[in-house]
Amino acid sequence: MSDEYLEAEIQHLLTENAEVAEQGITASRRDNTLVLCGEVESPQRRDEILRLVQERYPDLRLASDIGVIRAAAPTEAEELP
């Protein structure tokens, strides 16, 4: 399978899956590893994305460059100078 086809298929998998519905993750090939990049709102969401891709492609070497961003409202006021 070509890299472009695989990357597009993974994008489709993450976008169309009702449990994930994630559009902000990109996939790219680095050597023999597929690297998923982007940001999500929780470590659990990141783990679910990795699990989903690994289930679909069990023989694929997978790496994560998915960061976790704060999605909750701040708990304290920001003081401006």
Side-chain angles (χ1 to χ4, degrees), residues 3 5 8 11 16 19 23 29-31 41 47 58 66 81:
D3 289 349
Y5 182 75
Q11 286 292 142
E16 297 298 319
E19 294 176 17
Q23 297 179 8
R29 191 70 89 140
R30 292 186 195 153
D31 298 321
E41 71 274 1
D47 293 345
I66 300 174

Side-chain angles (χ1 to χ4, degrees), residues 68-81:
V68 177
I69 58 172
R70 183 176 74 183
T75 56
E76 55 190 53
E78 179 181 355
E79 292 189 32
L80 301 175

Side-chain angles (χ1 to χ4, degrees), residues 14-68:
L14 296 177
T15 302
E16 297 298 319
N17 182 286
E19 294 176 17
V20 176
E22 185 64 58
Q23 297 179 8
I25 302 299
T26 60
S28 61
R29 191 70 89 140
R30 292 186 195 153
D31 298 321
N32 293 327
T33 303
L34 183 78
V35 181
L36 299 177
C37 301
E39 294 182 335
V40 294
E41 71 274 1
S42 71
Q44 295 81 11
R45 181 112 169 136
R46 178 183 53 208
D47 293 345
E48 179 63 19
I49 289 167
L50 295 172
R51 182 196 63 75
L52 183 65
V53 173
Q54 197 67 66
E55 268 183 14
R56 178 75 179 263
Y57 304 98
D59 297 329
L60 188 63
R61 201 164 155 201
L62 189 62
S64 172
D65 193 14
I66 300 174
V68 177

